[in-house]
Every structure is written in structure tokens, then in C-alpha cells.
Amino acid sequence: MKNNEKYEVCYNMQAVVDSKYKFLVDFEIVNDINNQSQLSNMVTKIRSRFSDQKIITLADTGYFNMSE
């Protein structure tokens, strides 16, 4: 992953947790430098797994991307 104008061995982990028990529901490890294109992918995975439940998504501004 490119970091500070050099390449380093590192990863970016995306995680989804249950709001009541903070239980890890799903995760994905990617080589992307930022989170900007990760949110819709994770939401899609969770919606398919819990299609019978209402899903509320919360994310920080690091995920902001107009197309997401």
C-alpha cells in the first residue's frame, strides 16, 4: 500500500458490528489506502445476509464519496 510517498506492507480492514452486542458480523481486508469506496460493498453484504431486518448504517467521514 502506498503511504507517505513510499510503499509499505499494510492492509485496511473493514468491519461490521452489531449495535446491541458489538458482535463482529462481517469483515473484509483490502489494500486500498482509504475507506472511500468500501461502504456500499459492506452494506450490500450485510443486507444480503440479514434481508429480513431493517439495516441502519453509520460511518465516519473517512467513508465519504459522492458516488457511494
Side-chain angles (χ1 to χ4, degrees):
M1 181 183 300
K2 190 171 184 181
N3 187 16
N4 296 324
E5 302 302 319
K6 59 183 177 179
Y7 287 94
E8 299 179 321
V9 178
C10 50
Y11 301 94
N12 187 347
M13 181 178 154
Q14 306 301 312
V16 177
V17 296
D18 171 77
S19 63
K20 185 174 181 179
Y21 299 107
K22 311 305 185 252
F23 184 74
L24 182 64
V25 178
D26 203 343
F27 72 95
E28 187 166 339
I29 299 172
V30 297
N31 284 338
D32 295 338
I33 296 171
N34 57 43
N35 299 326
Q36 291 182 353
S37 61
Q38 302 301 320
L39 186 58
S40 63
N41 178 46
M42 296 305 291
V43 171
T44 301
K45 288 171 67 171
I46 294 306
R47 282 188 176 157
S48 67
R49 184 171 292 177
F50 297 101
S51 59
D52 61 333
Q53 297 180 25
K54 181 178 178 182
I55 303 295
I56 298 173
T57 304
L58 300 175
D60 64 26
T61 56
Y63 286 92
F64 180 77
N65 179 337
M66 193 60 83
S67 64
E68 286 279 306

